[in-house]
Amino acid sequence: MESTFSSPAEAALQREAGDPGLLTPLADLDHVYELERVIGFVRDVGCQRVALQFPDQLLGDAGAVAARLEEATGSKMFILGDTAYGSCCVDVLGAEQAGAQALVHFGPACLSPPARPLPVAFVFGQRSVALELCAQAFEAQNPDPTAPVVLLSEPACAHALEALATLLRPRYKDLLISSPALPLPVGSPRPVPEPLERFGRHFPLALGRCLEEYGAFYVGGSEASSDPELDPDLSRLLLGWAPGRPFSSCCPDTGQTQDESARAGRLRARRQYLVEKARDAHVIGLLAGTLGVAQHREALAHLRNLTKSAGKRSYVLALGRPTPAKLANFPEIDVFVLLACPLGALAPQLSSGFFQPILAPCELEAACNPAWPPPGLAPHLTHYADLLPGSPFHVPLPPPESELWDTPDVSLISGELRPPPAWHLSNDPGCFALTPRPQLELAESSPAASFLSSRSWQGLEPRLGQTPVTEAVSGRRGIAIAYEDEGSS
């Protein structure tokens, strides 16, 4: 039951085709999937068609859960088991195709707002937590009882944070408990004062306090994980947390702790390397990694305008889930930027199988906007919505006459001086797009054509005007292994 909701994402890629995944005993279905709460949700919204979204590792239980819910509610259940992008996002497109009036999301979730309003219930699962062991681990990592600390957890352990805080509060007075930032039902009033929302969580800060003052204690992960850096939820917390503040993680089963400061430093160094790669790049590939998260169209337009202002060429690609084989078809692209939810944007960056680096939107903003970052901003924004106008973190591009575009910049990878954007070098905005050819022709140059001209093999020779024109003739008949005119051998 514990591994059902907490197995790593790479396990789905390593599992052989046809494997139904882990099956939960029928007696435990009600507890593991919180069916009583789901039944209450379906009855409250009064819908007759409900979509049930399962990640790959839970599809083995999907049929039994759907049958149990149909029997209890009388509503028709549709199983969504093949999301086009990431299973952590609400698949509103799949629910609309099934004509569903509500959706129940099982497993880990990024809690990103969907592109279309739809009643959604989230079932994270309730992983067991050894409270006494975790409390002892917290005291060992935080010997100062006056230091401010935030309790964080993976979604499946969020139910135990309040009980853990009860054991710690007699000694620790400045203790903050985070909770998942579940979307409010349509029409419900917002709480006053509204809590701070960051990293898909709510932080009920006191008046005059800020999150950058707190250290962090994270409950989640697995001691047996071979590569803990593949957890995108923990990675976005480490990237976005204030540098210099303590951050430790604790295994909920054994209470074993780990200081995450070194890993956070490695992740930030990797991010800085990707920013330098984006500054050196001339061609940017914008990967549409989501169609179901709100403001994805506005974010795509923002990234295209960002690359154009920096004098770079961009291409928009809709390929579904990015894989090394798919992206290898575009060798002329220097770097890719994945426009996805916070968890989806970080997941492929931790893999070394891609031929070109994959960035998050925040890295592209840091590479192309000379006014970035503003003073006091966290080192890494995890959601592309934070970059758009209307967000408190939005930084507009400097005007064309600003001196920021002329600031000397040296590549930390090649050591060469980067020139300012081409549009800033000439008063004629169209002359830089023309390239003379030997025949004194003028044609618009493109990154793909330039890349093709630099290759040693460019395909079959066209030989325009050199091949005589002939009438059509009959070709060979038969199959390649034995044409009719070849005879028998």
Side-chain angles (χ1 to χ4, degrees):
M1 180 183 67
E2 298 171 3
S3 61
T4 301
F5 284 91
S6 60
S7 58
E10 68 271 17
L13 301 178
Q14 299 172 356
R15 191 166 59 239
E16 296 182 0
D19 189 350
L22 298 175
L23 291 175
T24 304
L26 294 179
D28 296 334
L29 280 180
D30 292 353
H31 173 71
V32 171
Y33 292 94
E34 303 180 43
L35 296 187
E36 289 297 329
R37 183 167 66 86
V38 175
I39 292 171
F41 165 77
V42 174
R43 290 174 177 172
D44 291 341
V45 297
C47 52
Q48 299 300 318
R49 301 169 70 88
V50 182
L52 306 179
Q53 182 178 346
F54 291 86
D56 293 340
Q57 65 267 23
L58 301 183
L59 283 177
D61 295 331
V65 171
R68 187 76 61 90
L69 292 176
E70 283 188 347
E71 180 182 357
T73 62
S75 301
K76 183 66 175 178
M77 301 293 164
F78 296 87
I79 299 175
L80 306 180
D82 184 20
T83 55
Y85 300 100
S87 58
C88 62
C89 301
V90 175
D91 190 6
V92 293
L93 301 180
E96 286 184 352
Q97 293 177 356
Q101 302 161 317
L103 186 145
V104 181
H105 184 283
F106 296 93
C110 61
L111 299 178
S112 300
R116 297 173 179 82
L118 186 72
V120 181
F122 292 93
V123 179
F124 302 123
Q126 295 187 2
R127 183 180 179 184
S128 61
V129 177
L131 295 177
E132 294 291 342
L133 296 178
C134 292
Q136 296 174 7
F138 182 94
E139 295 174 353
Q141 290 290 324
N142 300 274
D144 184 5
T146 62
V149 184
V150 177
L151 287 179
L152 302 164
S153 74
E154 66 177 36
C157 298
H159 66 96
L161 288 187
E162 188 64 44
L164 178 60
T166 303
L167 297 178
L168 298 173
R169 279 202 177 102
R171 182 181 176 189
Y172 296 89
K173 304 301 180 183
D174 200 352
L175 197 62
L176 193 66
I177 305 174
S178 66
S179 59
L182 298 174
L184 295 175
V186 179
S188 60
R190 291 189 172 273
V192 179
E194 192 170 349
L196 174 69
E197 182 176 340
R198 294 284 301 277
F199 315 113
R201 295 164 170 86
H202 282 148
F203 298 91
L205 290 170
L207 187 63
R209 302 297 299 273
C210 61
L211 193 59
E212 288 72 18
E213 302 174 5
Y214 287 81
F217 185 81
Y218 180 85
V219 180
S222 174
E223 186 182 6
S225 178
S226 58
D227 191 356
E229 290 191 0
L230 290 175
D231 183 7
D233 182 50
L234 181 57
S235 297
R236 70 166 171 172
L237 287 170
L238 294 176
L239 285 170
W241 209 258
R245 302 304 303 170
F247 197 114
S248 57
S249 63
C250 173
C251 177
D253 302 321
T254 63
Q256 182 175 352
T257 59
Q258 179 178 354
D259 187 0
E260 301 291 350
S261 302
R263 181 151 60 131
R266 292 195 301 268
L267 289 175
R268 294 192 184 102
R270 171 66 177 172
R271 301 280 80 74
Q272 185 60 37
Y273 169 77
L274 293 178
V275 170
E276 289 296 314
K277 291 287 290 185
R279 287 173 177 164
D280 290 342
H282 300 287
V283 186
I284 308 293
L286 303 178
L287 301 177
T290 180
L291 297 178
V293 179
Q295 294 184 295
H296 68 275
R297 295 179 182 272
E298 294 84 349
L300 185 60
H302 173 75
L303 296 182
R304 296 184 65 182
N305 180 58
L306 193 64
T307 54
K308 182 179 179 180
S309 301
K312 305 178 187 297
R313 188 70 65 91
S314 65
Y315 293 92
V316 179
L317 307 173
L319 305 175
R321 296 182 182 180
T323 62
K326 291 179 182 178
L327 301 189
N329 292 310
F330 306 96
E332 66 274 12
I333 294 179
D334 297 321
V335 296
F336 294 93
V337 179
L338 180 57
L339 184 69
C341 70
L343 300 185
L346 288 177
Q349 298 185 30
L350 304 173
S351 174
S352 59
F354 293 92
F355 295 97
Q356 298 293 352
I358 301 181
L359 286 72
C362 178
E363 278 96 45
L364 185 65
E365 183 83 25
C368 298
N369 189 348
W372 183 272
L377 183 64
H380 192 279
L381 299 178
T382 58
H383 193 17
Y384 60 75
D386 295 331
L387 307 174
L388 301 180
S391 168
F393 305 111
H394 172 67
V395 179
L397 287 169
E401 62 275 8
S402 174
E403 297 180 355
L404 292 175
W405 296 107
D406 295 325
T407 303
D409 188 17
V410 178
S411 172
L412 299 180
I413 297 178
S414 63
E416 298 178 355
L417 182 67
R418 297 192 187 101
W423 59 264
H424 204 254
L425 296 175
S426 173
N427 295 325
D428 186 359
C431 66
F432 74 91
L434 301 178
T435 302
R437 288 186 175 181
Q439 296 86 0
L440 299 181
E441 299 176 355
L442 290 179
E444 181 181 0
S445 64
S446 67
S450 301
F451 180 82
L452 179 62
S453 63
S454 65
R455 295 178 58 174
S456 59
W457 187 82
Q458 301 178 8
L460 299 178
E461 300 254 351
R463 303 179 61 85
L464 298 177
Q466 303 179 28
T467 304
V469 180
T470 60
E471 296 182 356
V473 297
S474 299
R476 309 180 76 176
R477 295 177 177 272
I479 59 177
I481 195 174
Y483 289 108
E484 294 179 359
D485 57 349
E486 288 184 341
S488 59
S489 58

